[in-house]
């Protein structure tokens, strides 16, 4: 008995020992990913996994992924450290029954050195250049009292901000704004760079953005857009800011505007309104508007946004236009004067719902608009040269255009993120109704004696009704060719299909009144047609992404068909197209703070139905238009190359780019002159397909920073060459133009003062093959300077001056000297009360000039307005970001100076 007990005890002891050994040998696989505030992968971070037995170490790969294959315990401590980011530490406990677990993505936050506490002796790196991002360190630039983000942007190389707040980066417009990687209110750059204070910003990032869905799936194809992301200082990711502004000026212009914004990280509520009156001899405006928007998180994964915009306006303007047209039979000179009076009423609403989990992404958007406009115009046209005619026209039109658009997009990661599937649907509908009363009087002159021969009066009432509807969808599937956690990167192949179907109807009725006052409908001037357009796109692409290089290659096939029918005659039109276009994008990270990028994309566009229909359009009595049903689709190919490099030691940065567009089967006009029933000349335009239309160009920017980044010397410029092909009198001709501009800039920015000056020269030359190579040259030499002086926190004095020398204009352009001066001062605690006075164009020499070229015509435009005026503003400030009280202008009243 005793032996049997001993045997049982021995067996029990062996079993217990084996079970403990088995438990001790149990191992877990832990994997996850590391991202930044932009939800982009962070590569090369140090990761430690600590249990009670040992410590495991790893680094994230190019996609931000990491994995630990042999973890001894289901409870562990994870720490992550990376240069430029705050350390991360957390305790995890997983289910013991799961041998393989994937952690939720870990987001690292930016680390910012507080300069008040630490004196940094080394150079601050003002620019970091990555594969698809150029990052500017705000600490390397001068930020003064009351500066806004706009003032900071103006100091950055390669970035331009115009008078309306539009931002361009190396010639490409910024289309989207984010703050700390999240959509910011309306996401419109112009709306907020003049509201956000510059001293809350740590970094500014210019990003090549392919869209949210592309960031989720990793499939980045097509042409990227420029996005501005602002990274705030710690604790400055919330605030309340806003403003009300009212101004009064000596040009009889008075404005009142206001806005308010509540920002609590992901929760954003904004509202605003404006009202303005201008009434003088050149301009009459009465404009008002209201807007509101909201954006918030429903949960951790889902967010919604909505917005409403209302505007109402009355505008009157006076313009001069000089048109020079070359023709084998002679040159036509046309001097036009016009006065326009328009009224508009617009309502816009948009709604959106967004969601993103580890496996799914979706977006739903809906927008609607209702626009009502009224326009009355009086114009004169005096033609000399080959044709001698005067046209006096009085017209009025009424338009109503409601529309609704929506889209749904969904993406899902499949098979352990090795595959992804995306689908989408979109729709839209719009209507239009316009009524135009057109009264024309034409005077004909003898071509030799210039004596009036006869005149003709034509009064017409044109009623036009249109309706348009469309819907479409897309499907995309991608399959990974390498494991997602491969440290060398990943590659995948993707297949896509897109389609769109649209239907349009246009009903136009023209009623003519003869000199006796009798009215009748003219069938030849009416239109009643229906068109249906079906387009499909099949695509295949290959994508790869590694530590320093990423690229994609693709090919698209696009069959399409247009079917049209004229209801009155029963005549039908059918136009079939089959086109293909390639695409390629490459981005390469240069080791020493630089990058190279290349993009090539092809796309096709079917001709507008109005250019296809063979029905004569006589709305303009001096220019008849007849479409061509045999037109082919235009195939366009664009390519661009950019190079960016910055050297911290020398302070020299280089930004350069080349781009070109080439088109096949371009749709161009064919203009001929015909004799009418009165034996007078009128123009007729038809359309043809041609090859040989292209444009190429390049831009560059060299910047040298001195005096700890306070002094900046730069040279920048661009050159462009374009070639057009067109028909005149059924003869194929060509035109070419070259545009060159260069500028030298000197910028000094100190805390108490700033000084900026530039010298620029631009040259534009245009050559035509008509009439023995007619040449048109325009040259502009300009000297610009501006200065700002801040003697104390309560005063700021601004001044600017520019002198232009203009050569080659036919309209009087002069050589204007424009001088502006302004004074800003503040009162009360925290400088909350502001007063400013601004004097514009002290010598009254301002004017707006523009030049455009179309085929064999050069058009010069001059808009007249009162440029010399004095404006005063009184304001009150109220804003707060984080725990820091700031200042935002709230203008309450103004004073007019005579």
């Amino acid at each position: 008995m005793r032996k049997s007990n001993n045997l049982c005890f021995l067996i029990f002891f062996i079993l217990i020992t084996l079970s403990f050994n088995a438990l001790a040998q149990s191992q877990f696989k832990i994997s996850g990913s590391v991202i930044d505030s932009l939800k982009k992968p962070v590569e090369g971070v140090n990761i430690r996994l600590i249990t009670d037995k040992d410590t495991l170490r790893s680094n994230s790969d190019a996609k931000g992924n990491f994995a630990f294959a042999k973890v001894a315990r289901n409870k562990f401590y994870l720490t992550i450290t990376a240069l430029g980011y705050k350390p991360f530490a957390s305790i995890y406990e997983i289910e013991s029954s799961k041998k393989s677990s994937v952690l939720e993505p870990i987001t690292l936050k930016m680390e910012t050195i507080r300069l008040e506490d630490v004196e940094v002796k080394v150079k601050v790196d003002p620019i970091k250049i990555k594969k698809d991002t150029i990052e500017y360190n705000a600490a390397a630039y001068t930020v003064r009292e009351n500066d806004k983000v706009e003032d900071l942007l103006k100091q950055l190389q390669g970035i331009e901000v115009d008078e309306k707040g539009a931002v361009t980066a190396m010639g490409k417009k910024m289309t989207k704004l984010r703050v700390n990687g999240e959509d910011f209110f309306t996401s419109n750059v112009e709306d907020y760079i003049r509201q956000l204070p510059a001293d809350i910003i740590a970094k500014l990032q210019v990003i090549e953005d392919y869209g949210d869905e592309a960031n989720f799936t990793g499939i980045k194809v097509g042409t990227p857009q420029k996005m501005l992301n602002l990274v705030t200082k710690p604790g400055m990711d919330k605030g309340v800011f806003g403003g009300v502004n009212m101004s009064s000026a000596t040009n009889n212009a008075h404005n009142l505007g206001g806005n308010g914004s509540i920002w609590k990280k992901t929760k954003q509520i904004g509202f605003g309104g404006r009202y303005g009156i201008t009434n003088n001899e050149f301009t009459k405006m009465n404009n008002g508007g209201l807007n509101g928007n909201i954006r918030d998180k429903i949960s951790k994964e889902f967010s919604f946004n909505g917005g409403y915009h209302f505007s109402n306006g009355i505008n009157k303007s006076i313009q001069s236009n000089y048109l020079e047209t070359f023709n084998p039979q002679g040159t036509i000179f046309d001097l036009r004067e016009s006065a326009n009076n328009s009224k508009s009423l617009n309502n816009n609403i948009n709604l959106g719902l967004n969601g993103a989990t580890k496996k799914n992404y979706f977006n739903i958007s809906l927008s609607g608009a209702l626009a009502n406009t009224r326009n009355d115009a009086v114009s004169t046209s005096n033609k000399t040269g080959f044709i001698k005619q005067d046209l006096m026209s009085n017209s009025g039109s009424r338009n109503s255009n409601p529309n609704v658009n929506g889209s749904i997009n969904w993406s899902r990661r499949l098979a352990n993120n090795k595959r992804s599937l995306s689908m989408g649907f979109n729709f839209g509908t719009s209507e239009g109704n316009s009524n135009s009363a057109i009264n024309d009087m034409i005077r004909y002159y003898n071509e030799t004696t210039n004596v009036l021969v006869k005149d003709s009066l034509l009064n017409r009432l044109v009623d036009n009704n249109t309706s348009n509807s469309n819907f479409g969808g897309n499907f995309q599937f991608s399959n990974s060719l390498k494991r997602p956690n491969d440290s060398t990167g990943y590659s995948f192949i993707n297949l896509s299909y897109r389609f769109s179907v649209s239907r349009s109807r246009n009903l136009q009725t023209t009623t003519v009144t003869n000199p006796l006052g009798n009215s009748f409908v003219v069938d030849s001037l009416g239109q009643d047609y229906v068109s249906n357009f079906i387009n499909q796109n099949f695509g295949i692409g290959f994508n790869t992404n590694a530590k320093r290089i990423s690229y994609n290659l693709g090919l698209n096939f696009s069959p399409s068909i247009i079917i049209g029918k004229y209801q009155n005659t029963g005549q039908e039109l059918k136009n079939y197209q089959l086109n293909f276009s390639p695409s390629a994008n490459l981005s390469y990270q240069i080791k020493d703070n630089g990058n190279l990028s290349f993009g090539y994309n092809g796309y096709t566009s079917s001709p507008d139905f109005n250019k296809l229909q063979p029905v004569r359009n006589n709305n303009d009595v001096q220019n008849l238009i007849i479409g061509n049903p045999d037109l082919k689709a235009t195939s366009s190919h664009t390519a661009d190359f950019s190079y960016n490099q910055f050297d911290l030691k020398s302070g020299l940065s280089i930004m350069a780019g080349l781009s070109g567009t080439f088109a096949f089967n371009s749709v161009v006009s064919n203009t001929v002159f015909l004799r009418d029933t009165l034996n007078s000349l009128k123009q007729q335009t038809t359309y043809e397909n041609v090859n040989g239309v292209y444009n190429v160009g390049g831009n560059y920017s060299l910047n040298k920073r001195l005096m700890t980044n306070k002094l900046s010397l730069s040279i920048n410029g661009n050159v462009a060459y374009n070639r057009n092909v067109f028909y005149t009198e059924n003869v194929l001709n060509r035109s070419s133009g070259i545009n060159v501009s260069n500028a030298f800039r000197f910028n000094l920015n100190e805390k108490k003062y700033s000084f900026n000056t530039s010298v620029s020269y631009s040259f534009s030359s245009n050559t035509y093959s008509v009439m023995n190579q007619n040449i048109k040259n325009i040259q502009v030499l300009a000297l610009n300077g501006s200065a700002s002086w801040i003697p104390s926190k309560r005063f700021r004095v601004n001044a600017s001056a520019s002198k232009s020398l203009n050569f080659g204009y036919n309209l009087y352009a002069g050589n204007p000297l424009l001088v502006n001066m302004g004074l800003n001062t503040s009162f009360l605690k925290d400088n909350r009360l502001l007063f400013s006075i601004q004097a514009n164009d002290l010598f009254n020499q301002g004017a707006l000039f523009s030049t455009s070229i179309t085929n064999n015509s050069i058009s010069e435009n001059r808009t007249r307005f009162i440029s010399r005026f004095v404006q005063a503003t009184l304001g009150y400030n109220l804003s707060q970001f984080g725990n820091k009280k700031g200042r935002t202008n709230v203008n309450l009243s103004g004073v007019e100076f005579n």
Side-chain angles (χ1 to χ4, degrees):
M1 183 72 180
R2 184 180 181 92
K3 291 183 178 180
S4 62
N5 289 338
N6 291 337
L7 180 62
C8 291
F9 177 78
L10 179 61
I11 295 173
F12 176 76
F13 177 79
I14 293 173
L15 292 175
I16 292 295
T17 303
L18 292 175
S19 64
F20 273 110
N21 288 336
L23 180 63
Q25 294 173 3
S26 177
Q27 294 180 338
F28 301 91
K29 181 180 179 181
I30 306 299
S31 61
S33 61
V34 183
I35 59 176
D36 61 13
S37 59
L38 288 174
K39 299 181 180 179
K40 291 189 174 184
V42 182
E43 180 185 2
V45 300
N46 298 315
I47 305 168
R48 289 196 306 164
L49 189 150
I50 304 172
T51 65
D52 56 358
K53 296 189 64 176
D54 53 14
T55 298
L56 304 177
R57 290 178 173 82
S58 180
N59 296 308
S60 60
D61 62 17
K63 206 174 180 180
N65 295 326
F66 65 88
F68 295 94
K70 298 179 180 180
V71 179
R73 294 286 186 265
N74 65 326
K75 186 175 182 180
F76 54 88
Y77 183 70
L78 195 70
T79 66
I80 299 177
T81 57
L83 184 63
Y85 296 93
K86 290 183 177 180
F88 172 87
S90 182
I91 297 175
Y92 290 86
E93 184 173 1
I94 63 175
E95 295 182 20
S96 58
S97 60
K98 291 184 178 180
K99 302 305 179 183
S100 179
S101 297
V102 181
L103 306 179
E104 290 292 326
I106 299 170
T107 302
L108 297 184
K109 297 182 178 180
M110 299 292 296
E111 177 85 76
T112 304
I113 298 175
R114 296 185 57 190
L115 297 180
E116 298 88 350
D117 301 330
V118 180
E119 183 179 358
V120 182
K121 297 295 185 179
V122 298
K123 284 186 177 181
V124 178
D125 193 347
I127 303 176
K128 288 184 178 179
I129 300 176
K130 305 174 184 179
K131 276 194 303 185
D132 57 358
T133 302
I134 298 179
E135 184 178 271
Y136 301 87
N137 189 343
Y141 302 90
T142 303
V143 177
R144 292 173 289 269
E145 191 78 14
N146 295 323
D147 271 1
K148 304 299 180 186
V149 171
E150 177 186 20
D151 301 303
L152 185 56
L153 285 169
K154 290 179 178 179
Q155 299 183 49
L156 308 183
Q157 184 194 2
I159 294 181
E160 299 286 342
V161 184
D162 68 12
E163 295 180 353
K164 296 182 179 180
V167 183
T168 57
M170 289 303 290
K172 296 183 179 180
K173 185 177 179 180
M174 292 277 193
T175 58
K176 194 173 185 178
L177 171 68
R178 283 183 170 174
V179 176
N180 297 325
E182 299 287 343
D183 289 330
F184 194 70
F185 290 90
T186 63
S187 294
N188 189 9
V189 179
E190 291 92 333
D191 288 346
Y192 290 95
I193 63 171
R194 290 180 173 177
Q195 295 188 52
L196 291 174
D199 58 3
I200 71 169
I201 304 300
K203 299 180 186 299
L204 307 95
Q205 298 172 331
V206 178
I207 301 170
E208 299 287 345
D209 180 51
Y210 290 84
D212 293 337
E213 187 173 349
N215 292 331
F216 178 81
T217 62
I219 304 173
K220 299 181 179 181
V221 297
T223 303
Q225 303 295 316
K226 294 288 186 181
M227 181 177 71
L228 176 64
N229 181 59
L230 304 175
V231 180
T232 62
K233 295 177 179 178
M236 293 295 171
D237 55 352
K238 58 184 177 179
V240 178
F241 58 99
V244 179
N245 57 76
M246 181 178 179
S247 62
S248 185
T250 55
N251 61 344
N252 204 18
H254 316 279
N255 294 278
L256 172 66
N259 60 77
S261 300
I262 301 172
W263 176 32
K264 295 182 178 179
K265 296 185 179 179
T266 60
K267 185 174 184 177
Q268 304 166 11
I269 301 175
F271 53 89
R274 58 179 177 80
Y275 181 71
I277 299 175
T278 301
N279 191 354
N280 53 55
E281 60 179 311
F282 296 126
T283 304
K284 181 179 180 180
M285 293 192 302
N286 190 333
N287 299 311
L290 295 171
N291 66 82
N293 61 83
I294 184 171
R295 187 184 298 274
D296 198 3
K297 287 272 190 182
I298 301 175
S299 64
K300 183 179 179 181
E301 293 85 11
F302 301 100
S303 65
F304 74 94
N305 64 276
Y308 172 74
H309 178 80
F310 165 80
S311 65
N312 184 24
I314 300 175
N315 295 276
K316 184 183 77 172
S317 62
I318 299 176
Q319 284 188 325
S320 299
N321 176 265
Y322 183 82
L323 186 66
E324 190 174 357
T325 303
F326 304 101
N327 189 277
Q329 301 183 47
T331 303
I332 304 170
F333 306 95
D334 189 359
L335 180 61
R336 302 178 182 180
E337 298 282 342
S338 64
N340 295 277
N341 191 352
S342 65
K343 296 181 180 180
S344 63
L345 178 66
N346 299 283
N347 292 272
N348 295 273
I349 188 170
N350 64 82
L351 300 169
L353 180 65
N354 300 274
T357 65
K358 186 173 183 180
K359 291 290 186 180
N360 295 278
Y361 165 85
F362 79 93
N363 169 268
I364 301 175
S365 65
L366 180 67
S367 64
L370 175 61
N372 292 285
T373 60
R374 172 180 176 178
N375 186 73
D376 297 300
V378 176
S379 63
T380 61
S381 171
N382 304 111
K383 287 186 173 68
T384 58
F386 170 51
I387 296 179
K388 294 182 175 64
Q389 292 178 3
D390 293 338
L391 171 64
M392 288 159 283
S393 181
N394 186 344
S395 65
S397 65
R398 310 292 184 269
N399 298 277
S400 178
N401 303 97
N403 67 78
V404 176
N405 296 277
S407 66
I408 301 174
N409 295 283
W410 170 76
S411 297
R412 179 174 175 82
R413 294 191 180 108
L414 307 171
N416 197 24
N417 298 335
K418 292 182 179 181
R419 299 184 180 91
S420 67
L421 176 68
S422 300
M423 291 185 290
F425 174 78
N426 62 83
F427 68 92
T429 178
S430 64
E431 295 182 357
N433 175 266
S434 66
N435 297 279
S436 303
I438 306 171
N439 303 307
D440 294 332
M441 175 180 283
I442 306 176
R443 293 176 177 174
Y444 301 92
Y445 296 88
N446 183 280
E447 298 178 1
T448 304
T449 64
N450 291 329
V451 175
L452 178 65
V453 177
K454 55 183 176 291
D455 56 38
S456 174
L457 182 65
L458 180 61
N459 299 324
R460 308 185 305 286
L461 179 63
V462 181
D463 182 44
N464 199 65
N465 293 276
T466 62
S467 62
N468 301 277
S469 60
N470 66 82
F471 68 91
N474 64 81
F475 172 88
Q476 184 170 263
F477 174 77
S478 67
N479 184 52
S480 178
L481 303 179
K482 290 185 179 181
R483 292 181 301 169
N485 61 350
D486 192 333
S487 61
T488 62
Y490 62 92
S491 298
F492 55 84
I493 189 169
N494 62 283
L495 303 173
S496 64
Y497 170 74
R498 291 177 173 84
F499 75 94
S500 63
V501 179
S502 62
R503 177 182 175 87
S504 301
R505 179 167 186 178
N506 184 72
L507 175 61
Q508 178 178 296
T509 304
T510 302
T511 303
V512 175
T513 303
N514 62 22
L516 299 177
N518 300 319
S519 300
F520 52 93
V521 176
V522 181
D523 292 336
S524 62
L525 300 181
Q527 298 177 7
D528 186 1
Y529 66 84
V530 176
S531 66
N532 298 279
F533 175 63
I534 302 174
N535 182 65
Q536 301 180 82
N537 182 281
F538 301 87
I540 183 171
F542 173 78
N543 296 257
T544 189
N545 183 43
K547 183 177 181 179
R548 293 193 175 274
I549 188 171
S550 61
Y551 61 88
N552 63 72
L553 305 171
L555 188 63
N556 298 283
F557 295 86
S558 302
S560 64
I561 180 175
I562 297 178
I563 301 175
K565 183 176 181 180
Y566 301 91
Q567 304 292 356
N568 294 338
T569 64
Q571 182 182 1
E572 293 187 353
L573 180 152
K574 292 185 178 180
N575 188 293
Y576 299 91
Q577 306 286 338
L578 177 60
N579 297 281
F580 73 93
S581 56
S583 66
N585 289 280
L586 179 144
S587 181
Y588 178 71
Q589 172 74 50
I590 301 176
K591 185 176 181 180
D592 297 327
N593 209 6
N595 68 22
L596 289 170
S597 66
F598 172 78
Y600 174 79
N601 288 278
Y603 57 93
T604 60
S605 57
S606 296
D608 184 88
F609 188 79
N610 293 314
K611 294 181 179 180
L612 288 168
Q613 57 172 334
V615 178
R616 184 176 59 175
N617 185 335
N618 284 355
N619 287 348
D620 186 344
V621 295
Q622 290 184 307
N623 184 19
L624 312 180
I625 299 176
I626 302 176
N628 178 2
D630 297 322
L631 289 177
K632 299 178 181 179
T634 300
S635 176
S636 301
H637 302 261
T638 63
D640 60 83
F641 171 83
S642 66
Y643 168 77
N644 302 288
Q645 181 74 48
F646 174 71
D647 182 68
L648 177 62
K649 183 177 180 181
S650 65
L652 177 66
S653 56
I654 303 172
M655 298 181 179
L658 296 172
S659 62
T661 300
F662 305 84
F664 301 93
N665 288 324
S666 299
V667 177
V668 301
S669 62
N670 181 13
T671 304
V672 298
F673 286 94
L674 306 174
R675 294 284 177 178
D676 59 16
T677 56
L678 299 176
N679 199 34
S680 298
L681 290 173
K682 65 172 56 178
Q683 186 173 281
Q684 176 178 285
T685 300
T686 57
Y687 301 96
E688 303 288 345
N689 285 117
V690 298
N691 294 324
V693 176
Y694 63 87
N695 63 76
V696 294
N699 57 71
Y700 70 93
S701 174
L702 303 177
N703 184 273
K704 175 73 173 180
R705 307 194 67 84
L706 303 167
M707 297 173 57
T708 319
N709 296 318
K710 294 178 180 180
L711 175 62
S712 171
L713 304 176
S714 63
I715 300 176
N716 61 341
N718 61 74
V719 59
Y721 177 82
N722 61 81
R723 185 178 188 271
N724 291 314
V725 179
F726 57 93
Y727 284 91
T728 53
E729 298 293 344
N730 298 313
V731 177
L732 187 64
N733 292 283
R734 69 180 186 277
S735 67
S736 60
I738 184 170
N739 298 278
V740 180
S741 65
N742 291 278
F744 172 77
R745 290 184 171 90
F746 173 94
N747 301 314
L748 178 62
N749 290 281
E750 293 280 1
K751 283 289 184 180
K752 292 292 185 179
Y753 61 88
S754 66
F755 180 73
N756 307 288
T757 185
S758 67
V759 179
S760 63
Y761 171 78
S762 64
F763 171 78
S764 175
S765 177
N766 300 280
T767 305
Y768 297 89
S769 62
V770 184
M771 292 183 61
N772 265 344
Q773 303 288 324
N774 292 280
I775 296 176
K776 180 72 173 180
N777 296 325
I778 295 177
Q779 301 179 73
V780 178
L781 178 63
L783 175 64
N784 299 278
S786 65
S788 178
W789 178 43
I790 309 174
S792 70
K793 291 184 177 181
R794 297 186 181 272
F795 289 93
R796 177 181 291 199
V797 180
N798 302 301
S800 65
S802 65
K803 175 65 176 178
S804 298
L805 302 178
N806 302 302
F807 306 94
Y809 286 100
N810 289 298
L811 288 175
Y812 176 72
N815 299 309
L817 173 62
L818 307 179
V819 178
N820 308 313
M821 296 191 70
L823 169 66
N824 300 314
T825 185
S826 58
F827 308 92
L828 300 183
K829 184 180 179 180
D830 295 327
N831 298 328
R832 291 184 176 182
L833 186 66
L834 288 180
F835 174 78
S836 66
I837 183 169
Q838 180 74 27
N840 289 344
D841 192 11
L842 298 181
F843 300 111
N844 197 27
Q845 297 184 14
L848 292 178
F849 284 91
S850 64
T851 301
S852 61
I853 301 170
T854 305
N855 294 335
N856 58 328
S857 298
I858 295 179
S859 177
E860 296 178 8
N861 298 279
R862 180 186 183 190
T863 302
R864 285 175 284 178
F865 65 102
I866 295 177
S867 60
R868 179 170 60 182
F869 62 88
V870 178
Q871 178 175 293
T873 305
L874 184 65
Y876 183 77
N877 303 322
L878 181 62
S879 71
Q880 182 173 331
F881 289 89
N883 297 320
K884 176 182 177 181
K885 293 183 179 180
R887 289 166 294 280
T888 301
N889 295 346
V890 182
N891 305 314
L892 300 177
S893 62
V895 181
E896 181 175 342
F897 293 81
N898 294 310

